Amino acid sequence: AGYMDESSPLFIHARNWFAVVDVIDGNYLALSVEAGDAGEIIDSFHETAGDVGWNNIVALDFTEMLDKLIASPECFWLKEGRSIYGSY
């Protein structure tokens, strides 16, 4: 989900992130399949994908992401007052 240099401290995590929603602007929602974090949905901005603190966990699993997408006509992960579960 976005370019990330191997020297990034997030590289070891991000190699287990797979794009599941293309936001059509070079950004993605990614699904983590990393042991211990499997199922997390991560908002990955292409310009800051390798920067610590810029990859927000916006849903804890695929079902929660789908529920939020259906309930929201806009990008739920960008709305003011949104809840996040942490970040990478």
Side-chain angles (χ1 to χ4, degrees):
Y3 173 76
M4 188 176 302
D5 191 88
E6 289 182 26
S7 65
S8 168
L10 296 177
F11 183 78
I12 194 147
H13 297 290
R15 65 184 181 175
N16 293 305
W17 298 350
F18 295 91
V20 292
V21 176
D22 183 352
V23 187
I24 313 295
D25 62 358
N27 301 308
Y28 295 88
L29 290 184
L31 172 70
S32 174
V33 295
E34 184 173 18
D37 300 321
E40 291 179 343
I41 304 297
I42 301 148
D43 177 18
S44 185
F45 180 58
H46 69 279
E47 292 181 10
T48 57
D51 299 337
V52 174
W54 285 90
N55 299 277
N56 293 327
I57 302 164
V58 298
L60 295 178
D61 57 43
F62 196 77
T63 302
E64 180 185 358
M65 179 197 68
L66 287 177
D67 288 343
K68 288 181 173 182
L69 286 170
I70 291 167
S72 176
E74 301 172 13
C75 302
F76 72 86
W77 59 94
L78 298 177
K79 283 185 171 182
E80 189 172 327
R82 71 195 181 278
S83 60
I84 61 170
Y85 297 99
S87 62
Y88 287 94

